[in-house]
Amino acid sequence: MKKKPILIIIALATVVALGLWWKNNLLPTTGDTKAMLQIGLETEITSLDPAKTLDPHVSRIVGQVFEGLVGLDENNEIVPLLAESWESNAAGDSWTFQIRSGVKFHESEVFGPNKSREVTAEDVVFTFNRIFSKESQIGFVLDGVIKGTAKAKEGQALAGVKAVSPMSVQIDLESPDPLFVNRLTSVLLSIVPKEIETLDSGVFGLAKTIGTGPFRVASVNQSEAILMRNQTYWRKTGGNIQKLSFRVIKNEQLRLQELKNSQLDLVRVPVALADGIVSGTDSNGALQLKGDWQQFNHSVVRTFNVIFLGLNTTKLDLGFRRAITLGVNRSEIAQLAPGGLIEPAMGPIPLGMKGYTPAFENDIMDLNASKAALTDSASVSKRDNFEILVHEKDGAEQVGQLIQAQLAQIGIQATITKLDYNTVFQRAISGEFDSFIIGFEYIYGTPGPIVSMLFSPQNIPVPNLSRYDNPKVNALLDGYKTAKDIAVANDLAQQIEREVVTDPPAAYLFQNKMLLLYPRKLSGVKVNGHSVPLLWEASLSTNP
């Protein structure tokens, strides 16, 4: 009986400790619970280093912390960020960027006693050299575009990027590019401070994460990133959110349930689960939600992605590949998700790119032409054992089964092989495939780099997984390199798009729209084509 008071004291201490834990871990430092936004994230956070972040889900966090020379707004218009202005020479192969004065990096001890400093041209030069370092995973973004990239990958200084003044940078290109600035809109090309060169490998992006963006990193591990509002941010924003919590919840159903339980405030709905949430569209084409999901607001955003059926051009002749791409009913595939969340894609360039008109507007399916092409094919052995590799992402298995049924109508008996995503990708790289379903989230905001990336024989096997080598396309790509006018560049991209549908390295299937759900207290939710939510423009109401 004498132990009872001790037990009570322990219990009270536990309650106090739990209360302190709750306060320290769940409430924003402002003391205003309305100022914190909790976002569900699909994948583990391995690093927030822009040069090492190829995961499009993690890029949503990176986009809150870091900034490049330019970016995209919610209308996919170019926004000047760390570069306040730019201009090219008459030839279009040299660009000069004026760095915005007064922009400071987030506070960190790497800067010494002053804790921070202003961004300068030297940071831009350092960043572009770092992009081609051995630790970087994004050198392909600008490989062969800027002068000296080959030597930079060997450890030499990048010849094409130099500081011409403390706040001005000149970037010299291998060839003219009137859309060069459009190449720089991805968060992967964000500017980082030169001081991080002194850090041990792997420290930057986790233990030390220093950008210039509207939010700074308070803490980060594989399962959660906590960001705080950057009180010294250089531009005025419209939002009132003071704290962001990105929580990793891999289970898709659980993320949605956490939203219902008010444990999350913002969730991306996987297309595969849309049937249980979306009822369809109204007479004006606006998306409608089902049942108790109607208590939430939603945003539907077209982002830069295309899902396609890659074809092995070394195994399948032109007739067989044409038979497949003409035999696929994209409009039927689009019905796999309600509310227009799947859009048919006739070519490799995603819909919604500013200033570009797609080469095809309607489904190119033509069963008679498909059967005729198959008759002309010499790939006879593939008619009865054509293999489609699928995986767990992008609804690939369901799409593969539908394509299997569609191809049966033209005389191709396809088999479905399901593997995990990484194995499918490795099979594609090795060339051990007939076809595979895969999706690309494009990091470019302009069509030229996309077609160059996918179809240049220099990019075999990655990302030219189909091993495509078409002399006509190669000549058009060479022409693109010398184009000095935006209209000419876009016209060449259109011609390439038409040619790769005539001589297909893949059957381009569809484009996913991003569906976001959030409570009515949250407003101002905007997302750009790179799938980055502009959370500094969002607000939480104090009276939801």
Side-chain angles (χ1 to χ4, degrees), residues 193-233:
K194 61 183 180 180
E195 285 83 356
I196 67 170
E197 191 173 25
T198 63
L199 300 176
D200 292 337
S201 177
V203 171
F204 184 68
L206 288 173
K208 307 289 183 187
T209 307
I210 312 154
T212 62
F215 293 93
R216 59 178 177 82
V217 175
S219 64
V220 60
N221 55 48
Q222 287 191 335
S223 59
E224 185 178 34
I226 302 294
L227 311 185
M228 302 299 298
R229 193 83 177 199
N230 177 10
Q231 299 300 330
T232 60
Y233 189 47

Side-chain angles (χ1 to χ4, degrees), residues 109-252:
E109 58 269 25
V110 301
F111 299 114
N114 293 328
K115 297 295 185 181
S116 183
R117 65 166 177 81
E118 190 176 15
V119 178
T120 70
E122 289 186 6
D123 297 303
V124 179
V125 174
F126 169 78
T127 297
F128 277 84
N129 273 276
R130 186 172 183 265
I131 286 170
F132 296 99
S133 69
K134 292 181 180 179
E135 287 194 356
S136 171
Q137 298 178 17
I138 64 167
F140 68 91
V141 177
L142 295 171
D143 192 14
V145 176
I146 298 174
K147 281 188 175 180
T149 57
K151 291 184 177 180
K153 288 186 290 185
E154 297 173 358
Q156 298 185 35
L158 182 59
V161 181
K162 56 187 176 183
V164 293
S165 78
M167 301 299 286
S168 183
V169 174
Q170 180 177 317
I171 302 180
D172 297 325
L173 310 181
E174 291 285 359
S175 59
D177 187 351
L179 290 163
F180 176 66
V181 176
N182 298 67
R183 289 178 180 264
L184 306 180
T185 58
S186 170
V187 296
L188 302 186
L189 301 176
S190 294
I191 304 304
V192 298
K194 61 183 180 180
E195 285 83 356
I196 67 170
E197 191 173 25
T198 63
L199 300 176
D200 292 337
S201 177
V203 171
F204 184 68
L206 288 173
K208 307 289 183 187
T209 307
I210 312 154
T212 62
F215 293 93
R216 59 178 177 82
V217 175
S219 64
V220 60
N221 55 48
Q222 287 191 335
S223 59
E224 185 178 34
I226 302 294
L227 311 185
M228 302 299 298
R229 193 83 177 199
N230 177 10
Q231 299 300 330
T232 60
Y233 189 47
W234 60 270
R235 62 173 169 164
K236 185 178 180 180
T237 60
N240 69 354
I241 295 170
Q242 298 301 310
K243 183 176 181 180
L244 301 175
S245 170
F246 287 87
R247 290 172 48 206
V248 176
I249 303 176
K250 293 183 179 181
N251 185 286
E252 296 176 340

Side-chain angles (χ1 to χ4, degrees), residues 3-15:
K3 292 183 179 180
K4 189 172 181 180
I6 297 176
L7 291 175
I8 292 173
I9 291 171
I10 292 173
L12 288 173
T14 302
V15 169

